[in-house]
Amino acid sequence: MSKSIMKLNNIYRSFKKGRTVIPVLKDINMDLKEQEYICFVGESGCGKTTLGKIITGLLKPSSGELIYQGKDVAKLKGSSYTDYRRGVQIIHQDPYASLNPTHTIFDILSFPLYRHKVVKGRKAAREKVSELLTSVGLTPVAAVIDKYPHQLSGGQRQRVGIARALTTNPKVIVADESVSMVDVSIRISILHMMMKMREELGSTMIFITHDLALAKYFAWKGRIAVMYLGRIVEIGTTPEITQNPQHPYTKSLLSALPEPDPDVTRRKEKIQLRSEDIPRLTELPPGCPFHPRCPWFVEELCDGEIPVLADVPDSDSNAKVACTPLTTGKGLNLYASTTS
Amino acid sequence: MSDVVLSVQDVSIVYHADRGDVKASNHISFDLHKGEAIALIGESGSGKTTVSLSFVDMLPKVAEITSGKVLFTNRDGKTSNIFEYSHEQMRDLRWKECAMVFQGSQSSFNPVLRIREQFLDTARAHGWNNKEEVIAKAIELLKFVRLDPERTLESYPHELSGGMKQRTLIALGVLLSPPVVIFDEPTTALDIITQRAIIDVLKEMQKELGFSIIFISHDLALAAELSTRVATMYAGAIVELGPVEDIFYRALHPYTLGLLRSVPRLSQANEELSSIKGNPPDLINPPSGCKFHPRCEFASEKCATKEPPLVEYEDNHQAACWHTEKVIEARKGLWD
């Protein structure tokens, strides 16, 4: 088993809106390994972007600890904090908004190089930037390096975004919906680029997306964590999650997804939820947050205690699941009867 | 009698921009039959929205229709060219004969009117003044899209969630039972489970109400699920047109094949995907010959000089490519 690079201990994060406190992330516990692929998937409002920002240090957790290479990030100071900031980089979603329109590509890529003292002097910076542009496939370099973002296409801009994340040789890269705004025909080439980067740099690749099919392709050798209303409800290897889901929410998501195959998508078995409405984060139902919608809801069991991530006994999946009937075996007869 | 509701013939549209003329739509022809759902698929800038906007006269001012006609057959069986309609005739056509449901339902409602008023308004504009009848119909349709009619009618747009708004808009779109409904990316920006609910509603509605659908999407999965026929669009033109199974399982155009190869399928375990090389073309100075040739793996010299016409290869399956035999060879293995 590879070494841990980052640990999330009981991460909780809330936002204040007027007098109301909105809890966006709750009880996030995870161990991120060196060089692994991991995807956070879920619908809007599940907290996946907030989690990505906490990992990169763009937001601080309200409580809980973020441990990077064995040290609590909140307590890092001076050069060790710079090490963390250098080691963890993000690729944003929108390549039109994430690049400063008044700076050239060279400016955009050289700032972090100077800031983190990767290179000294303009000549060395030019060389390093050329190298970066080549590695993300923006060639010939001379045709790109002195341009402004608006002179590039969306796909090219996203490559610049990737190159910027690579300027500091990061150990962890967070890609937040990084291909959702790129045309379908070139999306895969950007994903391939990110996969190649991971191979070359040996960094941990965190991909945040709502697209399960894309997550499956990207992290086939890694893990997927499915999030719902601020919590991880199922986490396991990508083949387990996508081919043999356990949690009712994961099952519902997978069954709801149309597929680019007329026969498969029309024949697909669809799970009917009890309700289509997603509860508000400020008025979460008691117990399992999914229970008002869950077709396998067991009264008094699911609306009592909040389920915690645990193994499912007697299952062919090693995924951890937050579902009381599945993990405790209680009420499972009821559960099974509604399944069949 | 023919069952063609909308016959699009040789439609070309340009946008007059500062840099030059953007050839957004080039000689587009297709027939929409009664009860069918045709999906226009393609990337941003392929012209799928542009051509659809011309059917309801909602193109921006900088656009000019340079050729073609759109023959519309109304419910009385009378056929006329939409492009020749007066302003009044066009007003009458919209909603009543041909409704367009836009993406981003947020901006489709008047934010200061209750939903009830918006239903009444739409009906009134078309001379339907019996409020009770309109509301009765609205309630029926809102039930159909699985909303609580009373609550929805009394709400302001901001009080509804994205999915509820989209459903309300679909109900409003079919209020006057138009024979043709155009859906522009109806489920983009919606969550997976909400998207599923909308898909199911659309399928059911179409079955029950029997209207014809033109459905614009960049999402192949949605086209696979909802359409009976698919038109692949590239650089403002239809490059392949055929029954949905033919397009997915027996693609004849390299661009369609390229798209199919670039979308992951959940049901497949480990799969090989590839992107189409290069970028979508500049429509001010489009490439010579076949507009796809700079990105095409099968391109020959002929492709760079001569534009291939859209020809019928099998029953109702047309493609515009000089090298379909190479595509047939290359598509083997895609569905194993």
Side-chain angles (χ1 to χ4, degrees), chain B residues 31-318:
Chain B
D31 286 342
L32 178 71
H33 299 264
K34 201 167 177 244
E36 81 166 335
I38 189 162
L40 307 181
I41 60 169
E43 299 174 85
S44 44
S46 62
K48 46 196 198 307
T49 301
T50 299
V51 70
S52 308
L53 285 174
S54 76
F55 306 156
V56 282
D57 191 26
M58 285 185 69
L59 286 166
K61 278 195 181 119
V62 292
E64 186 195 340
I65 297 167
T66 51
S67 79
K69 54 186 173 184
V70 177
L71 299 181
F72 173 72
T73 308
N74 70 7
R75 42 194 113 196
D76 307 326
K78 250 179 71 188
T79 303
S80 52
N81 181 6
I82 288 181
F83 289 170
E84 288 166 359
Y85 277 19
S86 67
H87 188 67
E88 278 64 40
Q89 279 176 302
M90 204 65 221
R91 276 184 65 117
D92 202 43
L93 175 106
R94 283 188 212 123
W95 286 119
K96 200 167 153 195
E97 304 285 355
C98 178
M100 186 152 178
V101 177
F102 291 95
Q103 56 181 332
S105 50
Q106 259 70 357
S107 43
S108 293
F109 288 108
N110 184 337
V112 298
L113 290 183
R114 288 181 203 270
I115 300 298
R116 169 190 295 275
E117 289 306 316
Q118 322 223 8
F119 271 89
L120 288 172
D121 238 18
T122 306
R124 207 178 304 125
H126 291 275
W128 188 10
N129 292 316
N130 187 328
K131 281 191 184 176
E132 273 150 39
E133 256 179 53
V134 176
I135 294 302
K137 177 82 177 171
I139 290 175
E140 184 196 319
L141 289 170
L142 288 170
K143 272 189 193 151
F144 206 110
V145 296
R146 294 186 224 147
L147 287 172
D148 173 355
E150 298 304 329
R151 191 190 143 197
T152 311
L153 285 172
E154 294 316 314
S155 299
Y156 287 99
H158 75 269
E159 294 175 304
L160 304 173
S161 71
M164 288 160 84
K165 243 182 286 199
Q166 192 66 32
R167 270 183 257 194
T168 309
L169 193 59
I170 290 171
L172 185 59
V174 297
L175 178 68
L176 304 172
S177 320
V180 178
V181 187
I182 305 168
F183 291 100
D184 189 357
E185 307 270 12
T187 66
T188 338
L190 295 179
D191 277 326
I192 301 166
I193 290 174
T194 318
Q195 167 179 317
R196 163 56 52 197
I198 303 277
I199 293 174
D200 292 346
V201 160
L202 285 178
K203 277 171 140 177
E204 238 171 86
M205 271 196 145
Q206 200 208 1
K207 218 165 100 195
E208 293 281 315
L209 308 176
F211 49 79
S212 310
I213 292 182
I214 296 176
F215 160 70
I216 304 167
S217 183
H218 67 278
D219 186 345
L220 291 179
L222 225 53
E225 173 114 17
L226 277 175
S227 64
T228 47
R229 277 203 299 158
V230 176
T232 312
M233 294 192 60
Y234 188 77
I238 294 180
V239 294
E240 185 165 4
L241 174 66
V244 62
E245 291 84 7
D246 281 355
I247 298 291
F248 277 85
Y249 302 130
R250 291 174 289 280
L252 287 173
H253 196 280
Y255 179 63
T256 311
L257 184 67
L259 285 179
L260 289 169
R261 279 178 178 163
S262 66
V263 287
R265 282 175 272 155
L266 201 60
S267 50
Q268 294 286 305
N270 208 0
E271 58 185 339
E272 294 252 327
L273 297 178
S274 55
S275 273
I276 302 174
K277 66 174 183 188
N279 289 301
D282 176 7
L283 292 177
I284 292 179
N285 294 304
S288 60
C290 170
K291 294 191 181 60
F292 186 60
H293 88 265
R295 303 179 71 189
C296 183
E297 55 188 303
F298 311 115
S300 64
E301 263 173 48
K302 188 181 186 182
C303 304
T305 50
K306 241 179 139 212
E307 185 160 13
L310 195 63
V311 230
E312 183 151 332
Y313 284 85
E314 293 147 37
D315 273 355
N316 300 315
H317 188 179
Q318 304 166 300

